[in-house]
Amino acid sequence: MGLLLSLPFFLLLLLSEASPLNDVPSSSCSANFMDPLPHLNSSGLHLTLHHPRSPCSPAPVPDLPFSAILSHDEARVRSLAARLTKSLPKPVSSLLRPAAVSVPLSPGSSIGVGNYITRIDLGTPAKSYVMLVDTGSSLSWLQCSPCSVSCHAQVGSVFNPASSATYRAVSCSASECDSLESATLNPSECSLSDVCIYQASYGDSSFSVGYLSKDTLSLGSGNRVANFVFGCGQDNEGLFGRSAGLIGLARNRLSLLSQLAPSLGYSFSYCLPTTASTGYLSIGSYKPGQYSYTPMQSSSLDDTLYFVRLTSITVGGRGLPVSSSAYAGTPTVIDSGTVITRLPSDVYDALSGAVAAALRGYPRAPAYSILDTCFKGGLSRLAVPAVEMVFRGGATLRLAPGNVMIDVDSSTTCLAFAPSGRVAIVGNKQQETYSVVYDVGRLRIGFAAGGCG
């Protein structure tokens, strides 16, 4: 799927303009959950992030059983695998073929369930829109009036190009139109009025199709970025929660990160919060001394995703009994929108066995969906062993119990890892509460504990 401001990592942007559809956070939410306005200072652009299932999220995903969330997570993993083999399904939209018979599509499920949430301000005069954030996507898009084919219900009003004095459509001959295929893996189309049409598809029948556009992006305190390139969606089908659209942070010239890099620098950082807290997304400079780093890995499979090299996992201070080649044989992506970390099968089997051995005094529970190492009772009653994920260069994620195990219902806790197929993925459950920096300029990714504090 993306504006790279994650992750993902899905992140929704909070509407600042009142509207009959605007969801006001529950009175039970503390003031700490209320978003400060996006702001720009000497250290870059700063936005607030919400967990997609936080009760105080401005646009929460539908109330789904955790088994459905895991099913959606599997769809996203399949989508990423299809992307690496260049086999994503193409959108089937009447915007592209207006004479075609409309065929009902299955709702997409990989976009809105795992991504975190924030807000952006767009247009002149500027209005704010709730958005998903995704490190696995390049093109940013939002729903646009008149929604000539289909728009899902969203928080607040749909973006109206006619109401912005600085909006303009991108022509088919523009260089940005030529860049669409590398950003979306789908070729651009051209309207009868010479407007470039984008097609962003996500591997599970969810998609956005519309007109490539430019407008002014406001960064707070009077700072603005003219000619921000984004998709003005006219046909948006899938499970996007009640967001207005999606922000892409991948390594592509059309991503939000790349468009802001000339003025803010080519890096971003985030802390993905739990349902009981808020996090942040920052674009621009950061404090380098607090992180341990691993090099970004290059891959011929996709030059826009963020690849890393996992070298070992320890449980209770002991390395897993697998060879180093077990880690190296599968490409590994760090992603803000995948919930459960996927490991090469041999590595996963060893991790599952080590955790089960450490918890052998606790009663086992049946497998739950894709999670097969489960125990009776809640996480708080388990003596979860210390688990560390070590990456090339020595960067280490020292996982807290809540990053290792997950409560799937009121009576069952499971290991929050699963075996992978063609691609391994460092998911957002393992990243929660850590500060993670993507320093694209220096080709490195860093980790630091206690980020959301």
Side-chain angles (χ1 to χ4, degrees):
M1 293 158 2
L3 159 130
L4 207 57
L5 282 205
S6 187
L7 333 110
F9 6 96
F10 300 124
L11 301 170
L12 291 166
L13 297 171
L14 174 65
L15 279 151
S16 62
E17 181 180 73
S19 134
L21 291 178
N22 191 16
D23 289 336
V24 178
S26 164
S27 58
S28 65
C29 297
S30 72
N32 291 333
F33 279 88
M34 303 304 290
D35 282 18
L37 292 174
H39 61 281
L40 181 69
N41 57 28
S42 60
S43 62
L45 173 65
H46 305 277
L47 305 102
T48 300
L49 291 182
H50 291 275
H51 191 285
R53 295 182 297 282
S54 167
C56 300
S57 167
V61 299
D63 186 14
L64 299 171
F66 196 69
S67 59
I69 291 169
L70 292 176
S71 176
H72 300 325
D73 203 44
E74 274 290 276
R76 179 175 175 90
V77 171
R78 290 194 300 270
S79 174
L80 284 170
R83 175 173 173 174
L84 295 181
T85 57
K86 307 297 188 292
S87 59
L88 281 174
K90 307 303 180 187
V92 180
S93 169
S94 57
L95 181 68
L96 298 170
R97 297 189 300 169
V101 175
S102 178
V103 178
L105 297 174
S106 301
S109 59
S110 69
I111 297 299
V113 170
N115 289 64
Y116 287 72
I117 298 160
T118 190
R119 67 176 177 182
I120 58 170
D121 296 337
L122 187 68
T124 305
K127 296 182 180 179
S128 292
Y129 300 91
V130 171
M131 304 284 281
L132 301 172
V133 176
D134 186 16
T135 58
S137 299
S138 294
L139 181 69
S140 302
W141 60 267
L142 75 170
Q143 301 194 118
C144 285
S145 175
C147 291
S148 58
V149 180
S150 176
C151 277
H152 59 266
Q154 70 172 61
V155 175
S157 58
V158 172
F159 178 76
N160 184 0
S163 69
S164 174
T166 47
Y167 173 87
R168 61 189 178 95
V170 173
S171 71
C172 299
S173 60
S175 62
E176 293 88 356
C177 191
D178 292 336
S179 299
L180 272 177
E181 187 160 7
S182 66
T184 65
L185 304 184
N186 292 315
S188 62
E189 301 284 345
C190 194
S191 75
L192 295 177
S193 56
D194 191 39
V195 175
C196 183
I197 297 176
Y198 74 90
Q199 312 169 59
S201 59
Y202 304 112
D204 60 354
S205 299
S206 58
F207 63 81
S208 174
V209 177
Y211 302 114
L212 195 64
S213 307
K214 293 183 178 182
D215 209 332
T216 297
L217 182 69
S218 298
L219 305 181
S221 305
N223 295 284
R224 293 175 179 152
V225 175
N227 298 318
F228 173 66
V229 180
F230 66 100
C232 201
Q234 298 296 317
D235 189 4
N236 315 288
E237 304 195 31
L239 184 59
F240 300 101
R242 296 187 67 196
S243 68
L246 182 144
I247 290 174
L249 291 175
R251 297 164 65 183
N252 179 274
R253 67 174 294 227
L254 294 185
S255 77
L256 176 67
L257 174 66
S258 295
Q259 293 189 62
L260 296 183
S263 57
L264 299 181
Y266 207 4
S267 66
F268 71 96
S269 60
Y270 58 67
C271 181
L272 304 181
T274 67
T275 56
S277 62
T278 58
Y280 69 84
L281 171 66
S282 295
I283 299 177
S285 62
Y286 64 97
K287 297 178 180 178
Q290 72 183 86
Y291 296 93
S292 62
Y293 297 95
T294 185
M296 287 184 187
Q297 303 296 301
S298 59
S299 174
S300 60
L301 298 174
D302 192 304
D303 60 4
T304 66
L305 296 175
Y306 296 97
F307 290 87
V308 292
R309 175 66 59 83
L310 183 65
T311 58
S312 67
I313 294 178
T314 66
V315 177
R318 295 184 177 182
L320 298 180
V322 295
S323 67
S324 58
S325 62
Y327 296 94
T330 304
T332 302
V333 176
I334 181 169
D335 181 43
S336 64
T338 299
V339 179
I340 300 297
T341 286
R342 303 314 201 272
L343 297 172
S345 295
D346 289 349
V347 177
Y348 171 76
D349 290 343
L351 174 64
S352 172
V355 170
L359 296 175
R360 58 183 173 273
Y362 296 90
R364 293 291 295 267
Y368 186 95
S369 181
I370 64 170
L371 307 180
D372 63 10
T373 306
C374 301
F375 299 84
K376 294 180 180 179
L379 170 62
S380 61
R381 64 178 293 274
L382 298 179
V384 179
V387 175
E388 295 185 346
M389 301 177 69
V390 183
F391 298 86
R392 184 179 179 184
T396 302
L397 271 176
R398 295 177 174 87
L399 304 181
N403 302 107
V404 177
M405 311 290 291
I406 189 167
D407 288 331
V408 298
D409 58 30
S410 60
S411 61
T412 306
T413 301
C414 297
L415 180 65
F417 293 79
S420 69
R422 289 174 289 179
V423 58
I425 303 171
V426 181
N428 60 40
K429 181 61 181 175
Q430 283 61 47
Q431 298 177 59
E432 270 184 8
T433 74
Y434 292 87
S435 182
V436 183
V437 64
Y438 294 66
D439 189 338
V440 183
R442 296 183 180 181
L443 295 176
R444 62 184 186 177
I445 291 174
F447 304 103
C452 292

